[in-house]
Amino acid sequence: MGHLKPFCSLAAALSERGCDVSFITVHPTVSAAESCYVSDFFAAFPRIRRLDFDLVAFDPSGIASTDPFFLRVEAIGRSAHLLPALLAASSPPFSALVIDIFLASTFIPIAAGIGLPSYIQFISSAAMLSLLAYFPTCSVGVSDFDIPGLWRVPKASIPRALHNPSHPFTTQFVENGRILTKASGILVNTFEALEPESLAALNRGKVVPGLPPVIAIGPLQAASLGEGSPLPWLHGQPARSVVYVCFGNRTAMSKEQIRELGIGLEKSGCRFLWVVKSKIVDREDGEVELEGLLGEGYLGRVKDRGLVMKGWVDQEEILRHRAIGGFLSHCGSNSVFEAALHGVPVLGWPGGGDQRVNAEVVARSGLGIWVKEWSWEGEEEVVMGEEIGERVRQLMEDEDLQASAARLREEAVKAVAEDGSSGKGLAEFIRML
Ligand code: UDP
């Protein structure tokens, strides 16, 4: 979802500005949320042409990863040779392909073979893009990275898989980092005021030479799919009193950690809206009972000030609600951009991948704070409820943080206006097309 949603937002934004857009959807899908979102999207944007891309059969047994999303990326890459036939069957002819970074090294050469320029929509932060571009130039293995023009990214913030040079994710990361120079442009869903240093360093050739234009176009509004109104429960809560807790749609926590988080939220004394997730793929999460996860009596104890939910919620609708005053987040890039767009201060608890780099963006921009000591992927240590509760209270009581998040919101709104930096970025991209 973290990749699908920004692609839908971009497609909608281009279509609304008069571009003729075709959207390639892959079959079969992995998650229930993905299937629903795709069908709602096409129903809401009938002018966007749907191109169904059926993947060739793929045997994952030879791949050293069991992550269902990673395996899907592999499967899509192995079907890349089917792209020319798919595009040839569609008219009018295409002027460009916009591709996700995970597919860059497999699809850019194929598109070039049929004379089609490729643009990358990079869905994470510009800081993460800098790491991606810089990583293949380092031959000494993983250590702290002094990324030119940026800051020192400590070893502990580098995605775990990259610590292992023979991990298939590392191979992909290096190949995708190398092929950046072959793209005609890179669109990033960030904005000037959130990441001024990274955007300047990337575009001035400081990070690596030879990159195409890196264009900030965010934070893009999610494509409006006409889903329900914000949760009625939120309407009854005082302004900025509720902390929203959600770790994206693929970060599953251990049962023990979920219980401690529950204790922490209870101890914080704050009102909370918590979306619980215990399985990587949502289709499996449906079978898990909340009461069993949280411990007997928990839901009853917190019912006056806490709402606990399972499954998909409309996060943007929640973040936009006046009752929300803080966001305990894993710092997935979309969550960070959405928090900025709605001026909600973030308490970052990164869980893996690019999230510690994004958490640093959160801290440096004034959008929030993050706790470097809290465990993340590959670490077993459980963070105790007492500590979580304290940090949540700190987040909700920090008036300076509320003010700086509000300032970023103003900047974000300015950026996406027609004459703002991101609005102009999108117009520039359309001009290039
Ligand atoms: N999201 C949502 N409802 C959920 C979980 C996630 O709307 O219950 C959305 C969220 O608004 C964001 C995306 O899914 O746009 C998650 O992307 P992010 O980069 O934050 O994290 P990921 O899930 O990729 O780790």
Side-chain angles (χ1 to χ4, degrees):
M1 290 305 292
H3 292 250
L4 176 64
K5 272 190 70 184
F7 269 79
C8 289
S9 307
L10 177 65
L14 293 174
S15 179
E16 277 160 5
R17 284 162 182 77
C19 298
D20 185 312
V21 182
S22 297
F23 197 93
I24 301 176
T25 58
V26 162
H27 298 280
T29 53
V30 179
S31 74
E34 177 190 359
S35 308
C36 296
Y37 199 84
V38 166
S39 26
D40 288 353
F41 174 69
F42 285 110
F45 294 91
R47 270 191 303 165
I48 296 178
R49 197 175 302 106
R50 174 178 186 147
L51 295 185
D52 289 306
F53 192 67
D54 292 311
L55 298 180
V56 291
F58 154 68
D59 173 15
S61 56
I63 308 283
S65 170
T66 52
D67 182 314
F69 294 97
F70 181 81
L71 294 177
R72 181 47 43 94
V73 170
E74 273 292 319
I76 299 172
R78 286 166 196 230
S79 296
H81 60 283
L82 301 177
L83 183 76
L86 180 76
L87 300 188
S90 190
S91 90
F94 294 95
S95 41
L97 175 72
V98 185
I99 190 105
D100 187 82
I101 185 60
F102 273 108
L103 304 176
S105 70
T106 44
F107 278 74
I108 289 179
I110 302 264
I114 51 171
L116 198 59
S118 295
Y119 292 81
I120 292 166
Q121 178 174 225
F122 190 78
I123 60 108
S124 186
S125 54
M128 192 62 199
L129 176 60
S130 307
L131 177 63
L132 173 75
Y134 185 64
F135 191 82
T137 67
C138 305
S139 52
V140 286
V142 170
S143 56
D144 294 352
F145 280 98
D146 275 312
I147 302 182
L150 199 66
W151 57 75
R152 169 169 287 212
V153 180
K155 186 176 176 184
S157 288
I158 306 288
R160 276 305 270 248
L162 295 182
H163 292 235
N164 173 359
S166 55
H167 193 288
F169 179 83
T170 309
T171 313
Q172 270 190 8
F173 196 80
V174 168
E175 285 171 359
N176 289 326
R178 286 203 175 119
I179 209 156
L180 288 173
T181 54
K182 298 282 190 300
S184 300
I186 305 171
L187 311 174
V188 193
N189 197 13
T190 192
F191 60 105
E192 260 312 312
L194 190 73
E195 299 194 82
E197 284 172 302
S198 309
L199 286 168
L202 284 161
N203 276 317
R204 288 183 191 148
K206 277 194 185 165
V207 178
V208 288
L211 286 181
V214 175
I215 309 171
I217 56 164
L220 283 174
Q221 290 273 3
S224 174
L225 303 185
E227 288 171 63
S229 63
L231 303 159
W233 181 82
L234 277 178
H235 292 331
Q237 311 303 322
R240 307 205 78 79
S241 70
V242 177
V243 58
Y244 167 59
V245 184
C246 179
F247 297 92
N249 60 90
R250 46 153 299 153
T251 305
M253 265 187 181
S254 70
K255 195 169 168 182
E256 216 181 343
Q257 186 62 78
I258 288 176
R259 289 226 175 163
E260 284 302 324
L261 174 54
I263 293 168
L265 292 172
E266 192 177 0
K267 289 203 165 166
S268 74
C270 302
R271 291 165 205 268
F272 63 89
L273 168 52
W274 177 17
V275 184
V276 175
K277 206 163 157 24
S278 65
K279 296 275 167 67
I280 291 186
V281 175
D282 58 0
R283 284 177 180 141
E284 295 161 25
D285 223 11
E287 296 145 22
V288 182
E289 286 306 320
L290 271 181
E291 193 76 37
L293 268 180
L294 304 174
E296 227 182 294
Y298 181 83
L299 291 171
R301 284 204 311 277
V302 300
K303 75 175 182 334
D304 289 337
R305 57 186 178 83
L307 182 66
V308 187
M309 303 181 60
K310 214 168 51 125
W312 181 259
V313 297
D314 186 340
Q315 174 163 303
E316 287 217 62
E317 205 139 22
I318 291 169
L319 288 173
R320 195 181 297 133
H321 199 284
R322 57 176 243 317
I324 299 296
F327 182 10
L328 174 52
S329 167
H330 70 318
C331 294
S333 53
N334 296 285
S335 293
V336 169
F337 300 141
E338 289 160 15
L341 182 60
H342 299 295
V344 179
V346 169
L347 168 57
W349 184 355
D354 58 351
Q355 295 158 15
R356 280 190 171 172
V357 173
N358 298 340
E360 194 56 28
V361 172
V362 163
R364 284 172 185 263
S365 65
L367 181 61
I369 46 178
W370 71 287
V371 190
K372 299 193 168 86
E373 297 74 32
W374 286 1
S375 52
W376 86 328
E377 56 182 344
E379 294 169 356
E380 301 283 302
E381 206 177 314
V382 174
V383 182
M384 300 313 282
E386 191 80 44
E387 200 184 333
I388 299 170
E390 232 165 76
R391 296 290 189 160
V392 167
R393 211 169 32 245
Q394 182 190 345
L395 170 78
M396 296 302 279
E397 287 172 358
D398 188 334
E399 286 175 11
D400 290 344
L401 207 54
Q402 299 278 343
S404 61
R407 180 189 55 80
L408 275 166
R409 180 188 138 67
E410 278 170 28
E411 294 289 347
V413 170
K414 264 195 244 162
V416 290
E418 214 169 301
D419 60 348
S421 49
S422 294
K424 284 188 195 156
L426 194 57
E428 168 66 6
F429 171 54
I430 293 173
R431 198 194 55 74
M432 288 161 101
L433 295 183

